[in-house]
């Protein structure tokens, strides 16, 4: 019997990455990258071309996508405006006559980290991806927790305040990701510019608020800018608050943090603080090992089942 192979594809907001994955999660090809088209129709066509190009090499297709995925693993059923209009109408199973398996990006990354990444050997793994938004996934005893309709762990949408302080990109208020994602760090900076006295002496004091970026703040921290440090610490506090609550709910033995912002988080410090505050014991916090390949590897592994 031949060893099965998957085409793992990660559909991100700016680029689509793909590669051939075996049953152990090894990448058998170079990772290829192509910009994500702006419309749902063009995304579909691009995916179709990629699949057709690799048709003879693969048995199944695994797709990692942002957004809440249905229980049948064929469609994204709900998503923030980070995805283009019409995206939720795509039935990915029509891309090819080979089996196609779509799963939420954070769920894919959770599975990859559990199988072969930072959380290998742990029992209950909570994966949090901190990028444009915040995604989450839980693997317990080798099985992804999917919830009643497949949409579990949309943690970026969990509310952390009750008094409508800040509007989220999704249109609702006070979602965790509007405070603790990359976008959240920018929101923290805008809040700080209006409320922290340190802004008056900041290297960014003359910058237009709408031009302040996430990376201004991380750069500012490196340059010892007091305003940036205060904003950054507030952002870490929001991450911490969410992680403590999730620890109390899920009792993970390992939390893995991935995504574009994970490089800015001191996991040892986070681990110490979570263990001091949480009522459950005892969690290890790690940075993801599979980095930006987690989505494609996890999708490939899940598709190979
Ligand atoms: C959002 C949500 C999640 C996703 C998470 C991380 C959409 C489009 N996205 O909370 O499904 O897992 O962001 O996504 O609804 P990223 O693009 O920031 O990595």
């Amino acid at each position: 019997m031949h060893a099965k192979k998957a085409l793992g594809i990660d559909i991100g907001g700016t680029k689509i990455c793909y590669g051939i994955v075996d049953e152990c999660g090894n990448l058998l090809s170079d990772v290829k990258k192509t910009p994500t088209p702006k419309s749902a129709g063009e995304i579909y066509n691009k995916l179709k071309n990629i699949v057709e190009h690799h048709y003879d090499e693969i048995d199944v297709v695994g797709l990692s996508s942002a957004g809440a995925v249905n229980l049948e693993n064929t469609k994204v059923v709900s998503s923030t405006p980070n995805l283009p209009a019409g995206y939720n109408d795509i039935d990915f199973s029509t891309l090819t006559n080979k089996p196609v398996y779509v799963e939420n990006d954070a769920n894919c990354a959770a599975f990859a980290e559990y199988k072969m990444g930072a959380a290998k050997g742990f029992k209950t793994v909570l994966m949090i991806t901190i990028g444009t938004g915040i995604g989450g996934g839980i693997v317990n005893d080798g099985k992804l927790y999917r919830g009643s309709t497949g949409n579990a762990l949309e943690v970026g949408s969990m509310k952390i305040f009750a008094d409508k302080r800040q509007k989220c990109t999704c249109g609702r208020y006070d979602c965790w990701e509007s405070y603790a994602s990359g976008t959240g760090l920018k929101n923290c900076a805008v809040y700080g510019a209006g409320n922290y006295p340190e802004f008056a002496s900041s290297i960014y004091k003359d910058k237009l608020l709408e031009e302040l970026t996430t990376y201004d703040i991380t750069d500012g921290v490196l340059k010892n800018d007091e305003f940036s440090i205060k904003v950054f610490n507030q952002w870490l506090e929001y991450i911490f608050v969410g992680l403590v609550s999730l620890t109390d709910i899920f009792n993970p033995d390992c939390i893995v943090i991935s995504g574009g912002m994970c490089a800015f988080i001191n996991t040892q410090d986070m681990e110490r603080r979570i263990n001091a505050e949480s009522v459950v014991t005892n969690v290890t916090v790690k940075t993801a090992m599979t980095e930006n390949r987690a989505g494609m590897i996890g999708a490939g592994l899940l598709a190979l089942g």
Side-chain angles (χ1 to χ4, degrees):
M1 209 183 79
H2 91 139
K4 285 192 169 179
K5 290 177 207 158
L7 175 60
I9 307 180
D10 182 29
I11 311 162
T14 50
K15 56 185 184 302
I16 295 175
C17 302
Y18 56 100
I20 312 278
V21 179
D22 72 9
E23 282 162 308
C24 300
N26 299 311
L27 272 168
L28 305 177
S29 67
D30 290 343
V31 176
K32 298 197 186 96
K33 291 177 189 166
T34 177
T36 308
K38 293 283 166 263
S39 76
E42 288 169 293
I43 292 177
Y44 183 83
N45 290 338
K46 182 156 264 185
L47 292 173
K48 214 169 162 60
N49 285 342
I50 294 170
V51 174
E52 267 161 24
H53 192 253
H54 292 280
Y55 187 86
D56 294 334
E57 299 164 73
I58 56 155
D59 301 280
V60 291
V61 177
L63 284 165
S64 159
S65 172
V69 171
N70 65 356
L71 212 44
E72 296 75 28
N73 296 96
T74 55
K75 283 180 89 165
V76 169
V77 284
S78 121
S79 59
T80 66
N82 297 349
L83 294 173
Y87 189 84
N88 297 1
D89 298 327
I90 299 177
D91 180 349
F92 293 99
S93 67
T94 64
L95 281 171
T96 171
N97 58 2
K98 296 200 175 178
V100 177
Y101 191 99
V102 57
E103 182 53 274
N104 168 266
D105 54 357
N107 282 356
C108 290
F111 200 69
E113 288 297 328
Y114 170 82
K115 280 280 186 192
M116 49 176 304
K120 194 170 174 185
F122 286 87
K123 177 182 160 66
T124 305
V125 177
L126 169 66
M127 225 286 316
I128 299 295
T129 168
I130 304 181
T132 316
I134 300 185
I138 276 264
V139 180
N140 188 44
D141 285 332
K143 226 175 149 344
L144 202 55
Y145 178 75
R146 302 203 59 225
S148 61
T149 58
N151 311 156
L153 273 295
E154 281 293 322
V155 293
S157 298
M158 110 187 144
K159 289 191 190 300
I160 63 165
F161 292 110
D163 51 356
K164 296 196 172 175
R165 290 184 198 190
Q166 184 163 270
K167 199 165 185 176
C168 183
T169 50
C170 71
R172 291 170 301 153
Y173 285 87
D174 294 335
C175 301
W176 188 32
E177 70 182 28
S178 72
Y179 294 89
S181 66
T183 316
L185 180 55
K186 187 195 151 79
N187 290 342
C188 290
V190 170
Y191 174 85
N195 291 276
Y196 299 162
E198 290 83 352
F199 187 60
S201 54
S202 166
I203 52 177
Y204 300 121
K205 67 178 188 325
D206 298 321
K207 202 157 181 170
L208 290 173
L209 286 194
E210 55 274 24
E211 283 173 9
L212 259 180
T213 68
T214 302
Y215 293 99
D216 283 337
I217 300 304
T218 51
D219 276 359
V221 171
L222 295 175
K223 289 175 184 150
N224 255 324
D225 177 56
E226 273 184 48
F227 165 73
S228 301
I229 292 169
K230 190 160 174 175
V231 167
F232 185 80
N233 285 338
Q234 180 61 64
W235 176 72
L236 281 181
E237 203 61 32
Y238 289 135
I239 295 175
F240 165 70
V241 163
L243 289 182
V244 171
S245 302
L246 291 168
T247 301
D248 286 337
I249 295 167
F250 290 107
N251 187 195
D253 51 353
C254 183
I255 298 176
V256 182
I257 303 178
S258 73
M261 300 304 290
C262 77
F264 303 110
I265 297 165
N266 179 330
T267 49
Q268 268 180 330
D269 204 39
M270 205 46 98
E271 177 182 302
R272 185 186 49 75
R273 292 194 61 200
I274 292 170
N275 285 324
E277 185 96 1
S278 162
V279 295
V280 305
T281 52
N282 199 341
V283 71
T284 300
V285 181
K286 294 183 153 205
T287 305
M289 249 171 68
T290 48
E291 294 169 349
N292 53 359
R293 292 165 296 140
M296 118 185 54
I297 293 173
L301 282 170
L302 286 162
L304 287 164

